[in-house]
């Protein structure tokens, strides 16, 4: 049995659609949706508040009750990468304990958490929550997996960078001796140098957005990098419906869709069914976006042209060396299946657009304007005492 975890749009009709699919397919199941409240929420998660539906505890409780009646559980996300250290204060710890009681009363029985400190607080509480380690924990090897196993966790979401490293996935599976979960529609770049910093930005903005510059800084730069080289599109860490079989053969049973920020306007049930059926005819990028495009700068990729792409990764456990300039496999394959002229035009268009619309750059330009910016005199006269 393959189990799928979906971002919650908190729409009961979507739950009905999942329930119908669960009855049609005997080897796949939507087992849970996940998300968090945004009204009177004081504990962050892995998505900016401005991207999520407005939801309070009363609405959450009604949604959970409806879902469970149809055999679908709910997982509450409190997976911020930081909480400004409030959990290390008596006041902050008490408030979090009280918060646990409120969501428990709302029907929550499982949590996705990133911070080990919060995991310990949950385990010390009187509530019998199951804990899943967030992808933000960056589980990249067997050693990290063992730590979470010793902590008593039920499930871990592995780092997206491992999605084509079947050798490491097997090792993690053996070390954890439990359920590991992979994100299947990730459009993050492999080995992204900005990922942890992006998580920190989102965690801060998941309670209250500081500025438009913060929410748009990383997505803009990510998109520009995506089209910088045609091979980068294939280096994104997505998993196609047709390739799910390689992961189940590796021992993986849980598959997670990301997209809490897009699911409400998309068609998640249609995306799920493609993975249930292990086949999708059409644009891969549209499927990964849950049929709700996240950007106007999009390239079309015929999913069926990628049928053999994953095979070298699966058949040769040492195939990927994370040295793309010398390997060129993804770039060469991309030349055969993606319109290079279209990618080059997208790269030019995106670059031109973000030159004119970049809130972060506008802040820099405003501060460094010659009429308004002067280095503090103290900085110019600073005398460093190295003794």
């Amino acid at each position: 049995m393959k189990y799928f975890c979906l971002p919650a749009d908190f729409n009961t009709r979507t739950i009905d659609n999942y329930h119908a699919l669960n009855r049609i397919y005997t080897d796949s199941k939507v087992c849970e949706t996940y998300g968090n409240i945004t009204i009177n929420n004081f504990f962050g998660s892995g998505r900016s508040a401005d991207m999520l539906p407005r939801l309070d505890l009363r609405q959450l409780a009604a949604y959970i009750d409806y879902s469970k009646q149809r055999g679908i559980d709910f997982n509450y996300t409190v997976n911020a990468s930081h909480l400004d250290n409030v959990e290390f204060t008596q006041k902050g710890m008490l408030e979090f304990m009280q918060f646990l009681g409120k969501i428990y009363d709302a029907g929550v029985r499982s949590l996705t958490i990133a911070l080990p400190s919060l995991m310990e607080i949950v385990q010390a509480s009187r509530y019998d929550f199951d804990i899943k380690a967030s992808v933000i924990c960056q589980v990249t090897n067997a050693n990290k997996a063992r730590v979470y196993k010793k902590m008593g966790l039920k499930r871990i979401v592995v780092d997206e960078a491992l999605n084509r490293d079947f050798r490491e996935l097997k090792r993690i599976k053996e070390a954890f001796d439990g359920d590991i979960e992979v994100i299947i529609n990730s459009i993050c770049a492999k080995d992204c140098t900005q990922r942890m910093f992006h998580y920190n930005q989102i965690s801060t903005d998941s309670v209250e957005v500081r500025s438009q510059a913060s929410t748009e800084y990383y997505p803009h730069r990510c998109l520009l990098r995506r089209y910088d080289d045609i091979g980068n599109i294939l280096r994104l860490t997505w998993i196609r419906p047709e390739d799910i079989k390689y992961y189940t053969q590796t021992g993986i049973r849980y598959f997670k869709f990301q997209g809490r920020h897009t699911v409400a306007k998309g068609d998640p049930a249609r995306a799920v069914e493609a993975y249930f059926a292990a086949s999708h005819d059409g644009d891969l990028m549209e499927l990964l976006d849950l049929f709700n495009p996240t950007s106007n700068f999009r390239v079309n990729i015929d999913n069926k042209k990628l049928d053999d792409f994953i095979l070298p990764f699966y058949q040769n456990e040492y195939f990927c060396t994370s040295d793309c300039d010398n390997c060129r496999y993804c770039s060469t394959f991309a030349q055969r299946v993606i319109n290079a002229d279209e990618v080059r035009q997208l790269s030019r268009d995106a670059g031109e657009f973000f030159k004119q619309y970049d809130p972060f750059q506008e802040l820099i330009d405003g501060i460094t304007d010659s009429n308004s910016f002067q280095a503090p005199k103290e900085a110019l006269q600073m005398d460093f005492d190295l003794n």
Side-chain angles (χ1 to χ4, degrees):
M1 179 70 78
K2 299 183 289 293
Y3 298 99
F4 291 81
C5 312
L6 275 295
D9 62 0
F10 301 103
N11 188 325
T12 55
R13 285 176 295 180
T14 305
I15 293 297
D16 289 339
N17 290 336
Y18 295 157
H19 179 60
L21 289 173
N22 286 348
R23 298 181 67 178
I24 295 171
Y25 292 86
T26 58
D27 63 344
S28 299
K29 179 182 179 180
V30 174
C31 64
E32 69 182 20
T33 64
Y34 63 92
N36 59 268
I37 62 170
T38 52
I39 299 174
N40 296 323
N41 176 42
F42 305 106
F43 298 98
S45 74
R47 286 293 177 191
S48 296
D50 63 335
M51 295 182 175
L52 300 178
R54 288 182 57 79
L55 187 83
D56 60 23
L57 270 172
R58 179 187 56 81
Q59 294 168 312
L60 175 66
Y63 174 81
I64 291 174
D65 181 63
Y66 190 91
S67 298
K68 288 187 175 180
Q69 289 180 32
R70 283 146 186 81
I72 299 173
D73 290 329
F74 180 80
N75 178 284
Y76 193 93
T77 51
V78 56
N79 59 333
S81 60
H82 73 89
L83 294 175
D84 291 329
N85 289 343
V86 299
E87 74 274 26
F88 296 108
T89 67
Q90 187 178 56
K91 180 177 181 291
M93 189 177 295
L94 177 60
E95 288 177 348
F96 184 66
M97 287 277 198
Q98 292 171 340
F99 171 75
L100 291 177
K102 291 178 181 179
I103 62 174
Y104 191 89
D105 290 342
V108 175
R109 294 297 181 271
S110 66
L111 307 170
T112 294
I113 302 178
L115 291 170
S117 53
L118 288 194
M119 295 177 188
E120 290 193 30
I121 294 173
V122 171
Q123 291 173 329
S125 74
R126 60 186 178 87
Y127 304 107
D128 56 337
F129 290 109
D130 288 336
I131 300 176
K132 182 200 307 187
S134 169
V135 68
I136 297 174
C137 295
Q138 296 187 311
V139 177
T140 54
N141 55 54
N143 287 334
K144 289 185 178 182
R146 288 190 187 96
V147 171
Y148 291 108
K149 181 65 177 178
K150 291 178 180 178
M151 292 181 68
L153 271 60
K154 301 295 184 181
R155 207 186 317 166
I156 56 175
V157 185
V158 299
D159 194 291
E160 301 109 312
L162 299 182
N163 277 8
R164 292 171 193 158
D165 189 342
F166 291 95
R167 173 172 170 264
E168 200 60 55
L169 288 174
K170 289 178 183 177
R171 288 184 172 181
I172 290 174
K173 171 65 178 174
E174 293 170 358
F176 188 68
D177 190 28
D179 286 316
I180 70 172
E181 190 171 299
V182 293
I183 296 178
I184 55 180
N185 66 327
S186 172
I187 53 173
C188 287
K190 183 179 183 294
D191 302 321
C192 178
T193 57
Q194 298 185 342
R195 181 173 296 160
M196 195 64 233
F197 312 108
H198 192 181
Y199 286 146
N200 289 337
Q201 170 265 309
I202 290 174
S203 296
T204 299
D205 287 337
S206 65
V207 174
E208 182 181 0
V209 176
R210 299 292 179 89
S211 73
Q212 191 175 18
S214 71
T215 59
E216 297 188 6
Y217 177 84
Y218 291 105
H220 286 186
R221 281 146 184 81
C222 177
L223 190 143
L224 289 172
R225 178 186 174 188
R226 183 181 307 169
Y227 298 125
D228 183 55
D229 182 306
I230 191 172
N232 287 344
I233 302 170
L234 298 194
R235 295 185 190 107
L236 303 177
T237 52
W238 40 257
I239 298 172
R240 300 167 60 243
E242 293 82 354
D243 298 336
I244 286 285
K245 60 189 176 186
Y246 300 117
Y247 295 85
T248 57
Q249 291 167 13
T250 305
I252 297 172
R253 301 189 304 153
Y254 283 84
F255 302 91
K256 181 175 185 176
F257 283 85
Q258 67 175 15
R260 288 197 287 145
H261 58 310
T262 62
V263 66
K265 295 182 180 180
D267 192 348
R270 180 184 171 193
V272 169
E273 185 163 22
Y275 281 86
F276 277 22
S279 180
H280 174 63
D281 288 304
D283 178 15
L284 173 65
M285 301 305 291
E286 184 181 46
L287 171 66
L288 300 177
D289 282 338
L290 304 180
F291 301 101
N292 177 28
T294 55
S295 170
N296 291 325
F297 302 107
R298 301 174 65 253
V299 63
N300 184 291
I301 306 176
D302 185 343
N303 180 59
K304 290 302 182 181
K305 291 183 178 180
L306 298 170
D307 279 347
D308 298 327
F309 173 71
I310 197 72
L311 283 178
F313 297 91
Y314 182 73
Q315 294 172 344
N316 181 358
E317 59 185 21
Y318 296 100
F319 179 73
C320 182
T321 60
S322 295
D323 186 5
C324 298
D325 283 352
N326 288 318
C327 173
R328 305 299 295 172
Y329 171 74
C330 293
S331 295
T332 301
F333 201 105
Q335 293 286 347
R336 304 202 308 263
V337 300
I338 302 175
N339 187 319
D341 291 335
E342 181 182 355
V343 173
R344 283 191 287 267
Q345 186 60 52
L346 277 173
S347 181
R348 288 192 293 267
D349 292 344
E352 186 60 33
F353 176 81
F354 290 125
K355 279 182 182 178
Q356 300 184 31
Y357 179 74
D358 185 349
F360 183 75
Q361 186 61 49
E362 289 173 8
L363 285 176
I364 293 177
D365 292 342
I367 291 175
T368 57
D369 183 273
S370 59
N371 296 321
S372 61
F373 176 77
Q374 287 185 344
K377 293 181 179 179
E378 315 83 84
L380 297 175
Q381 300 171 354
M382 189 174 294
D383 182 16
F384 292 97
D385 184 0
L386 301 180
N387 296 323

